[in-house]
Amino acid sequence: MLRSLVLKSVLAVMAPLAALAACVAPQQTDVLVVDASAIFDGRDVIRDARLVVREGRVEAVGPQSEIAAPAGAEILDYGDRFLMPGMIASHSHVGTVSGTEHGGRFYSRETVERDLAQFQRYGVVAVNALGLNRPLFHELRKELRGPGHDGADLFGAGAGVGAVDGAPPMDRMGVMPDQAMRPATPEEARAAVRETAEAGVDIIKIWVDPMGGQVPKMPEAIYAAAISEAHAQGLRAAAHIHDLEDAKGVIRAGVDIVGHGVRDAPVDQELIALMLEQDVWYVPTINIDEANYIYAEHPEWLEDPFFLAALSPELEAQLRDEAWRQRALDGAGSARMAVMNNLRNLQRLHAAGVKVALGTDSGATALRIPGFAEHRELELLVLAGMTPTEALAAATANGAALMGLSDRGQLAPGFVADFLVLEADPTVDIRATRSLAEVWRGGYRVDQ
Ligand SMILES: [Zn+2]
């Protein structure tokens, strides 16, 4: 029998009673065996595979011929279906979109929970909300993760460290003053990072990008101080960059994660050497630019229930509007160039052995669509030369490693049993991740 999250929350409420009962009579152990034609474990694909889950965590995974079903286990035979770990979105945002608009004024418990619920429906079980969070984040971050809450688990950077008069731009993004700290001196940068760390975050975000020369770039002395203080606080630092020279700058200053692809120029040997030497993560976010035109280019996607289910009524109306579509296509020149550069640069960096994790910037604007963007990004990673299995690893084990989550992103003994059930095999065609049939969190199937 499959239990739902509803039952799970009832059980959570009853937990003290259950504990009392357990003192009287020993409880039956919860063991689940799931057989499927294949399981991607976060690194490799196992054929004719078996997953054993005990009390919400993976106990064993491997070929059915090698793993015996424990006595008394509930056995689910998923036939020719495919299992993979729940996805981890390494660069997203939450709570800032309403309809076709975006801005800090929309940030609330409701909008954050709405986004986390949508991510989970699309198989994303953990989200790195990389900046633009308002102070409420620190409270939500404690509540909206782990057992008993329904939705992707919330991780993230709090507000983030922005540039004075620069990114994230107050005018264009509807950014509120409390969505980014803007230190003017290295001392202020260190204080901003300390304050953020004390409020409770998983990562430090810095914006260095001069946005095509439209705004001042964050000076090197500021980001170097912020990165060094992040490390002093035991946190990793992720940088928003666009240009090759800025990528090199933040890496020289010790950044751990390059949070967007290099999109102004071809990457060179110097960048590759820096990234490999310092073991830096690369999160290309190819869909961030593609989102400007791809939906206008593909009105037939509006016939696809998987895509439609990710759209608010307002966004769906916009995407169906012929005049909007024409404007989007007319203005797509620079975004297309950015996507081309991003794809080529990813190909080069990946071939050189740079570590890649999947991120999209989903949730930052209405067109960066939570959940759907992650499935689209998988396709883009493959277009850039990654194998489907490598793309799946970027979305699972690599995302967990980037965040330092030691029991997520893999189906391996001891890991949280967060997994997806697919109708088709994404190692044959990566778009098969869209044949998502079930989402399981901590050993329980989520009602979709
Ligand atoms: Zn972002």
Side-chain angles (χ1 to χ4, degrees):
M1 189 187 71
L2 304 176
R3 284 155 305 175
S4 69
L5 270 186
V6 178
L7 178 56
K8 187 183 183 186
S9 26
V10 170
L11 287 174
V13 171
M14 291 167 60
L17 283 176
L20 198 63
C23 301
V24 183
Q27 276 187 306
Q28 203 183 342
T29 328
D30 290 331
V31 192
L32 179 71
V33 170
V34 188
D35 289 344
S37 70
I39 296 178
F40 172 69
D41 67 4
R43 299 280 181 215
D44 300 299
V45 178
I46 305 156
R47 300 287 164 186
D48 297 317
R50 172 165 288 172
L51 175 71
V52 181
V53 176
R54 191 184 293 271
E55 287 161 8
R57 288 188 181 254
V58 176
E59 184 173 82
V61 65
Q64 287 163 26
S65 57
E66 292 174 17
I67 297 175
E74 176 188 338
I75 299 180
L76 288 177
D77 186 353
Y78 273 149
D80 57 6
R81 288 179 170 184
F82 185 100
L83 264 56
M84 63 175 282
M87 293 199 280
I88 294 172
S90 292
H91 184 164
S92 288
H93 298 276
V94 290
T96 67
V97 169
S98 174
T100 60
E101 295 179 71
H102 60 269
R105 65 190 183 283
F106 299 121
Y107 199 94
S108 69
R109 174 180 292 270
E110 288 70 30
T111 53
V112 171
E113 288 186 335
R114 171 204 65 191
D115 289 344
L116 295 175
Q118 176 153 328
F119 276 115
Q120 181 174 273
R121 283 199 300 278
Y122 279 81
V124 176
V125 299
V127 171
N128 182 16
L130 204 47
L132 298 176
N133 295 289
R134 301 193 69 184
L136 173 65
F137 169 81
H138 304 293
E139 190 182 319
L140 299 181
R141 171 182 169 271
K142 291 183 207 139
E143 292 173 31
L144 304 181
R145 61 165 75 173
H149 111 86
D150 195 2
D153 287 348
L154 180 62
F155 295 86
V161 182
V164 176
D165 298 324
M170 301 280 278
D171 48 348
R172 271 196 286 161
M173 292 293 287
V175 175
M176 314 278 283
D178 62 9
Q179 280 183 288
M181 302 166 113
R182 298 182 191 272
T185 65
E187 292 68 33
E188 284 182 21
R190 287 187 179 279
V193 170
R194 272 197 302 275
E195 194 184 313
T196 304
E198 276 160 25
V201 293
D202 304 286
I203 196 162
I204 296 294
K205 165 74 177 277
I206 54 173
W207 280 268
V208 176
D209 183 13
M211 325 250 354
Q214 295 176 56
V215 297
K217 185 196 297 195
M218 179 184 282
E220 194 261 341
I222 306 278
Y223 65 68
I227 293 167
S228 139
E229 186 63 32
H231 294 164
Q233 298 293 325
L235 293 168
R236 294 173 188 183
H240 172 127
I241 58 90
H242 182 284
D243 300 342
L244 177 61
E245 288 313 310
D246 294 337
K248 290 179 186 174
V250 294
I251 296 169
R252 286 195 197 99
V255 88
D256 306 279
I257 298 142
V258 174
H260 291 292
V262 170
R263 288 161 284 165
D264 67 322
V267 295
D268 55 16
Q269 199 48 50
E270 186 185 18
L271 180 79
I272 292 170
L274 278 168
M275 291 201 80
L276 290 175
E277 255 162 48
Q278 300 189 34
D279 204 21
V280 178
W281 284 103
Y282 191 67
V283 184
T285 66
I286 304 163
N287 180 252
I288 191 178
D289 298 292
E290 194 203 45
N292 289 321
Y293 61 85
I294 196 71
Y295 305 119
E297 205 169 79
H298 289 282
E300 77 280 7
W301 289 4
L302 289 160
E303 309 306 315
D304 175 6
F306 184 82
F307 178 55
L308 272 182
L311 309 180
S312 66
E314 298 88 346
L315 181 57
E316 184 186 339
Q318 183 185 76
L319 300 189
R320 290 191 187 282
D321 177 29
E322 182 63 35
W324 176 83
R325 287 180 40 221
Q326 199 51 56
R327 277 198 306 279
L329 293 173
D330 290 346
S334 60
R336 286 185 195 280
M337 190 63 79
V339 168
M340 245 166 39
N341 284 334
N342 208 344
L343 287 167
R344 282 189 191 140
N345 285 337
L346 172 58
Q347 185 162 38
R348 182 120 197 253
L349 292 168
H350 171 63
V354 168
K355 301 184 299 187
V356 177
L358 181 140
T360 62
D361 211 51
S362 55
T365 69
L367 288 171
R368 302 174 195 167
I369 303 166
F372 183 81
E374 281 67 26
H375 289 265
R376 175 65 184 165
E377 188 79 12
L378 281 169
E379 201 179 347
L380 294 168
L381 297 183
V382 171
L383 196 60
M386 294 174 74
T387 66
T389 305
E390 288 168 343
L392 294 176
T396 56
N398 291 7
L402 177 149
M403 293 296 291
L405 306 175
S406 58
D407 61 356
R408 306 292 191 107
Q410 293 185 54
L411 296 174
F415 280 63
V416 176
D418 285 346
F419 60 92
L420 314 181
V421 180
L422 310 179
E423 300 283 3
D425 183 345
T427 65
V428 176
D429 177 348
I430 191 65
R431 285 171 301 181
T433 58
R434 301 177 191 190
S435 67
L436 181 61
E438 295 175 5
V439 176
W440 288 68
R441 301 295 313 276
Y444 290 85
R445 192 181 66 167
V446 178
D447 283 339
Q448 298 266 48

